[in-house]
Amino acid sequence: MRVGQSVDLLSLDPHEDNFADGAMLHQVFNSLVKLSTEDLEPQPELAESWQFSDNGGTLTFALRKGVLFHDGTELTASDVAANIARVQDPEVGSKLRSGSLLIGSVETPDDHTLVVHLTEPTPTIMDFFSKLMIAKPESLLDPTRAVGTGAFSFVEWVPGDHVTLRRFDNYWREGLPYLDGIEIKILPDEESIVANLRAGAIDMGRRIVQSAAENLANDPNFEIFVSPHGSVYFSLGFVVTSPPLDNRDVRRALNMSIDRERFQTVFLKGFGTTTCIPWPKSSPAYNETLATGCYFDLEGARTLLSGAGYADGFSLTAEVAPTVTPETLRLLQLWQQDLQQLNIRLDIQQISGAQYSQKKQAGEFTQIWADSFSGTNRHPAIPFLSSRPFMPGVNPSHFASPEYDALIERLTTEQDPEAMQEAAQEMTALLANEAFINPYMSKPGIWAYTTRLHGRSEDIGERDILEQAWLERP
């Protein structure tokens, strides 16, 4: 099976949880559990079963027996413990670290039993275990290797060109996978994906734009799939330690100067949903008033800037990686025009995906960073535990406050649904008021593929699951 996408991998590290790895991750690696796309309830994966203690402070997993890594060695509880320890290591810088710190200690009484002692009972711990991909611990020391327990083994990654996977004959799910192998081709843009589909050079295009989908919609040789879950949010982040962005009124004024409706109309042809908050309507954190409250208002923005002492304007720098999220570059170019009316000069710096990833992880952005994120369709605590734009202490905006930390703690540990919803609403209001991360659009992923392809599915984060995929011969 040949897959086309317009973004390259950023690394082979399964603990990076990168946006671009969606075609590869679940093929090479498994997690202990998977979340149902219907109700987010955990389902068995590498763990056959699990049991919480009566007080909710201890979680015991029974691991499957006979699961092999791609190097032929058997998965043990010690391997899982090593993966947990790695994401907890601050030197690794994993996005999963915050979620992993809910784990105080781990025991491995035998090769197939993992006992996890939590720092306190939390309703979010199974989400962490659904995201923690289990790799052969020794392979994680080599950035050119990817050794998991998945249906396909990693063969090679040629950056900017392709990733090759092949069928793992000793996969623990008997009879799977059906495909002999997968090649993920890195193509220049969405137009190239469509051209390659029509030419028969690829079988599926991932995360294509609406205009490309419309191009194929009436062709009987292709299916168009619009994901019903896991919408990606596009946003602008402001580094709050960099003047004038250290002034909250300046950040709020800049948020008001983003013409979300125009961006949706001009660039997305009406597709997607404009928004001011990072939650879908299904989330208990959703607030309709706040979701639509950052309306485009240059005069209102001018008034806020004048009150903050910036009536004469200033200069800003925004950093973006077009190869990762081309939508964000288009938004910045549109925004640049409107900012001129406020005497604000915006310098747009385009950098590579690798540079962007490094800056994001190290918190090295200068002033503004244009990004995308997902995962906010889960429990409202999850973004603050595993999505770097929101994580306390390491978010690239350098935003921190005692109120923010206290709300995260409430969201993470609150067992009562009504109290959790109250905390979630308070968090939504704080995000809107502080304006350090400013969503402007959410849109679901779009896939296009040949009608010869069957059995493809996806997880709640819109990553492909291809172990049951198969192709009719042409």
Side-chain angles (χ1 to χ4, degrees):
M1 178 182 173
R2 301 154 303 168
V3 179
Q5 61 183 45
S6 60
V7 293
D8 199 359
L9 303 187
L10 297 178
S11 81
L12 297 174
D13 189 339
H15 300 154
E16 279 293 316
D17 193 33
N18 286 314
F19 174 74
D21 62 11
M24 187 188 102
L25 193 71
H26 286 305
Q27 309 352 306
V28 176
F29 302 100
N30 297 120
S31 51
L32 293 190
V33 298
K34 277 187 179 176
L35 297 187
S36 165
T37 55
E38 301 297 325
D39 55 14
L40 300 183
E41 287 297 312
Q43 306 297 317
E45 185 82 347
L46 293 178
E48 285 187 312
S49 62
W50 51 90
Q51 182 69 47
F52 282 94
S53 62
D54 290 342
N55 66 1
T58 299
L59 173 59
T60 302
F61 288 100
L63 304 185
R64 294 183 189 276
K65 297 179 180 179
V67 174
L68 299 182
F69 284 110
H70 298 147
D71 66 357
T73 58
E74 185 173 357
L75 169 74
T76 68
S78 295
D79 294 319
V80 178
N83 278 256
I84 295 171
R86 182 174 187 265
V87 299
Q88 288 183 323
D89 183 352
E91 294 299 318
V92 172
S94 171
K95 294 180 184 178
L96 302 178
R97 182 170 186 264
S98 290
S100 74
L101 296 182
L102 298 169
I103 300 170
S105 62
V106 173
E107 295 178 61
T108 56
D110 60 58
D111 282 351
H112 299 99
T113 304
L114 182 79
V115 182
V116 177
H117 300 287
L118 305 176
T119 55
E120 55 188 319
T122 171
T124 66
I125 193 62
M126 296 306 279
D127 195 286
F128 166 76
F129 281 112
S130 76
K131 286 189 171 185
L132 179 67
M133 298 292 125
I134 305 302
K136 180 74 174 179
E138 293 80 2
S139 72
L140 293 166
L141 301 174
D142 184 347
T144 67
R145 298 178 69 199
V147 181
T149 59
F152 297 88
S153 61
F154 171 78
V155 177
E156 68 171 354
W157 171 33
V158 179
D161 192 78
H162 70 272
V163 179
T164 303
L165 312 176
R166 67 166 171 248
R167 184 183 196 275
F168 181 47
D169 292 335
N170 294 313
Y171 185 47
W172 55 271
R173 282 195 169 109
E174 189 175 354
L176 296 178
Y178 298 135
L179 294 166
D180 296 317
I182 299 170
E183 184 176 21
I184 304 165
K185 296 187 175 184
I186 313 304
L187 301 172
D189 48 42
E190 289 81 4
E191 289 72 20
S192 298
I193 292 176
V194 172
N196 276 264
L197 279 167
R198 289 198 182 281
I202 60 174
D203 305 299
M204 181 176 78
R206 300 189 72 250
R207 306 198 67 85
I208 65 174
V209 295
Q210 174 72 2
S211 57
E214 291 172 350
N215 190 305
L216 295 167
N218 296 320
D219 190 323
N221 295 309
F222 299 100
E223 295 279 350
I224 302 298
F225 173 78
V226 180
S227 174
H229 46 254
S231 292
V232 171
Y233 283 75
F234 297 95
S235 64
L236 297 180
F238 299 156
V239 178
V240 303
T241 54
S242 174
L245 300 174
D246 56 344
N247 187 305
R248 183 173 61 185
D249 282 345
V250 170
R251 300 196 300 269
R252 293 173 61 193
L254 291 172
N255 193 23
M256 292 169 63
S257 70
I258 303 171
D259 194 342
R260 292 161 167 82
E261 300 293 339
R262 183 178 167 205
F263 173 74
Q264 182 192 37
T265 301
V266 172
F267 289 115
L268 300 184
K269 309 302 181 185
F271 188 65
T273 303
T274 57
T275 188
C276 308
I277 63 175
W279 318 106
K281 290 186 177 181
S282 58
S283 172
Y286 184 80
N287 181 302
E288 180 73 25
T289 300
L290 294 175
T292 58
C294 55
Y295 49 87
F296 179 61
D297 182 3
L298 286 182
E299 288 309 310
R302 197 186 313 277
T303 299
L304 278 175
L305 291 171
S306 179
Y310 292 99
D312 295 332
F314 45 81
S315 296
L316 291 170
T317 297
E319 294 165 277
V320 61
T323 58
V324 178
T325 51
E327 293 90 345
T328 53
L329 174 61
R330 294 163 183 158
L331 183 279
L332 285 173
Q333 291 168 337
L334 183 70
W335 192 40
Q336 187 180 49
Q337 300 170 20
D338 290 321
L339 287 176
Q340 291 175 358
Q341 301 182 57
L342 299 172
N343 297 318
I344 296 174
R345 295 158 297 284
L346 181 66
D347 176 30
I348 302 173
Q349 294 186 356
Q350 300 184 41
I351 59 180
S352 70
Q355 288 177 298
Y356 191 88
S357 179
Q358 193 278 329
K359 280 176 167 278
K360 184 176 178 180
Q361 181 165 315
E364 294 176 344
F365 292 118
T366 305
Q367 290 184 311
I368 297 174
W369 47 290
D371 199 22
S372 64
F373 59 84
S374 61
T376 58
N377 59 344
R378 304 174 185 233
H379 188 285
I382 297 306
F384 308 98
L385 299 176
S386 60
S387 184
R388 196 167 294 275
F390 299 94
M391 289 164 60
V394 297
N395 66 76
S397 297
H398 300 289
F399 177 80
S401 79
E403 182 185 3
Y404 190 59
D405 292 344
L407 280 173
I408 293 172
E409 175 72 13
R410 284 173 59 192
L411 285 174
T412 303
T413 61
E414 183 55 67
Q415 304 286 323
D416 179 70
E418 289 187 8
M420 187 275 293
Q421 184 167 18
E422 180 181 341
Q425 291 284 326
E426 289 180 33
M427 177 61 83
T428 305
L430 182 148
L431 292 172
N433 191 47
E434 294 291 349
F436 67 91
I437 184 76
N438 299 277
Y440 55 88
M441 175 69 57
S442 71
K443 71 184 188 73
I446 307 176
W447 278 251
Y449 46 85
T450 171
T451 53
R452 297 188 299 108
L453 174 63
H454 307 274
R456 174 209 166 269
S457 61
E458 62 176 27
D459 71 357
I460 195 70
E462 296 186 344
R463 288 184 169 91
D464 295 282
I465 299 174
L466 301 175
E467 62 181 26
Q468 297 190 54
W470 58 279
L471 284 162
E472 297 178 28
R473 296 192 184 277

